[in-house]
């Protein structure tokens, strides 16, 4: 091997190494831009360890611990309901050296953060402020207070159920126990639990609430009508979630604001005996005033559901699809877990309203 | 930011990436995109600085003398039970840390946004 060969080999090695470093670095940066909560989680771990050593470590730990947990949940919600897009939270330490006049002029609302030995309390308070103030902001302006409270408590429970037990305990003792003492709130919360077990709380209920919020914004609010409609919506989803296998029940909701239907596709004996035709005919009978169709089937029937929709010629577009675990009831009413596939279709003639 | 707005921002970002060779400009585009994603600021004060802030706002002595009531439940405010501080009608209000008042503060804040 001569010197020229060695130089070429060295150059090639350097180029490949640089390429690997650039690609790895680029991929990491791209991932962190897409998932800033991961960076926040690392930051919270770093500051948790170094908070006694670094000057602002205590502040940074409180900040990033809350941001990482709340923003991870917010991202999960965005994946469950693509049109929800909840904002991310940013903890902003205000300047304590401001005068009364400056404070009033700045019009800033301030929440107290305890020392990090009480971090669970900080996390629960900040999360409740976030859930109450940000999630479904438009829809929650018009629904009844007990409906709003039940949604907040259920959504907060879902946020804390996968955190450490002492965080969940803090939430239960500070908010949940008191909240559920009110009959109406407690009953609705229980209903949400059953709807959630069947895997349709977030994709159907929250989605419909989001659509409702958009419509109220455009049409103006008739509060009593809205309270009633939300109650009926929950009642239908509750019955649907609790029905036994093969039990017939209402699967269509046509209110002033929410108009949707839920259809199950792919029952084995129907597929074997009648194929796609029976489902295509059924879908074609759906009234044109229905704005959203929720198609549910076992995950093994995913391709079947897709081909039924492709061949049905419906004037609806696929809004989103999702695979999820659900607990449903057998013929005797016993719970069992299934892996389901959900396809949400939106009527092409629906106008979408967005707050500018 | 809605799904549609995000799509528009993404489109603009990719347009910038493919029409500009300048890496610095590309970096700025990515940072810009990152900050365009919807965010909600939650203004907070740490325990360590709470008394300084209250002193500067002229509220510390009043709280120590038991003169300030919670905006939502009218209970007496102490240094220990403060949860929220906010301006209203040219005055400064304080709310306590009872769960109901924590939630009422969020709703109140939401109405003001």
């Amino acid at each position: 091997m001569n010197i020229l060969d060695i130089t070429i080999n060295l150059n090639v090695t350097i180029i490949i190494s640089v390429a690997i470093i650039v690609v790895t670095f680029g991929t990491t940066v791209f991932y962190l831009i897409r998932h800033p909560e991961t960076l926040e989680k690392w930051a919270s771990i770093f500051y948790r360890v170094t908070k006694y050593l670094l000057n602002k470590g205590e502040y940074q730990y409180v900040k990033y611990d809350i941001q990482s947990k709340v923003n991870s949940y917010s991202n999960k919600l965005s994946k469950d309901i693509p049109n929800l897009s909840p904002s991310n939270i940013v903890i902003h330490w205000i300047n304590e050296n401001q005068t009364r006049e400056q404070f009033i002029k700045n019009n800033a609302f301030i929440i107290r953060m305890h020392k990090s030995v009480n971090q669970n309390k900080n996390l629960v308070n900040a999360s409740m402020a976030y859930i109450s103030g940000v999630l479904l902001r438009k829809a929650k302006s018009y629904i009844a207070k007990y409906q709003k409270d039940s949604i907040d408590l259920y959504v907060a429970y879902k946020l804390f159920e996968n955190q450490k037990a002492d965080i969940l305990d803090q939430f239960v003792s500070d908010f949940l126990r008191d909240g559920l003492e009110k009959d109406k709130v407690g009953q609705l919360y229980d209903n949400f639990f059953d709807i959630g077990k069947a895997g349709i709380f977030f994709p159907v209920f929250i989605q419909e609430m989001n659509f409702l919020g958009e419509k109220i914004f455009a049409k103006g609010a008739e509060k009593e009508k809205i309270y009633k409609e939300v109650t009926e919506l929950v009642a239908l989803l509750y019955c649907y979630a609790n029905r036994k296998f093969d039990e017939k029940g209402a699967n269509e909701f046509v209110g002033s604001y929410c108009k949707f239907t839920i259809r199950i596709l792919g029952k084995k004996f129907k597929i074997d005996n009648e194929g796609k035709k029976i489902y295509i005919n059924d879908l074609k009978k759906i009234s044109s005033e229905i704005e959203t169709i929720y198609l549910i089937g076992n995950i093994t029937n995913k391709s079947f559901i897709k081909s039924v929709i492709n061949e049905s010629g419906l004037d609806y577009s696929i809004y989103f699809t999702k695979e999820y675990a659900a607990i449903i009831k057998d013929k005797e009413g016993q719970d069992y877990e299934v892996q389901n596939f959900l396809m949400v279709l939106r009527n092409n003639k629906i106008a979408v309203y967005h707050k500018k | 930011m809605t799904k549609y707005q995000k799509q528009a921002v993404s489109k603009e970002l990719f347009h910038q990436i493919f029409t500009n060779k300048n890496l610095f400009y590309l970096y700025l585009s990515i940072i810009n995109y990152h900050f365009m994603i919807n965010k909600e600021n939650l203004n907070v004060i740490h325990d360590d600085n709470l008394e300084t802030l209250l002193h500067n706002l002229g509220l510390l002595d009043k709280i120590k003398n038991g003169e300030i009531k919670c905006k939502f439940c009218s209970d007496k405010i102490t240094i220990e039970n403060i949860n929220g501080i906010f301006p209203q009608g040219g005055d400064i209000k304080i709310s306590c840390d009872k769960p109901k008042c924590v939630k009422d503060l969020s709703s109140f804040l939401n109405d003001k946004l």
Side-chain angles (χ1 to χ4, degrees), chain A residues 121-138:
Chain A
K121 196 173 180 63
N122 287 337
L123 176 66
V124 170
N125 283 353
S127 303
M128 286 308 289
Y130 170 80
I131 290 168
S132 304
V134 175
L135 191 76
L136 294 175
R137 183 179 285 167
K138 273 184 270 176

Side-chain angles (χ1 to χ4, degrees), chain A residues 52-85:
Chain A
Y52 300 108
L53 306 172
L54 298 177
N55 187 19
K56 294 279 177 187
E58 158 82 8
Y59 294 77
Q60 300 291 54
Y61 167 59
V62 171
K63 174 187 168 85
Y64 287 114
D65 186 53
I66 294 172
Q67 283 185 197
S68 66
K69 289 186 170 99
V70 175
N71 292 340
S72 295
Y73 185 64
S74 157
N75 284 353
K76 185 184 171 299
L77 287 183
S78 302
K79 282 178 194 158
D80 283 347
I81 312 154
N83 195 32
L84 189 61
S85 305

Side-chain angles (χ1 to χ4, degrees), chain A residues 69 74 98 134 168 204-205 214 220 342:
Chain A
K69 289 186 170 99
S74 157
Q98 53 184 308
V134 175
L168 184 62
V204 181
F205 179 73
E214 286 177 354
L342 168 77

Side-chain angles (χ1 to χ4, degrees), chain B residues 14 22 59-60 83-84 110:
Chain B
F14 283 107
N22 188 327
L59 294 169
L60 187 61
N83 178 58
N110 187 22

Side-chain angles (χ1 to χ4, degrees), chain A residues 326-339:
Chain A
I327 295 174
I328 58 173
K329 295 188 186 303
D330 63 16
K331 284 180 181 172
E332 279 74 45
Q334 298 297 313
D335 288 349
Y336 70 103
E337 193 176 322
V338 288
Q339 290 299 316

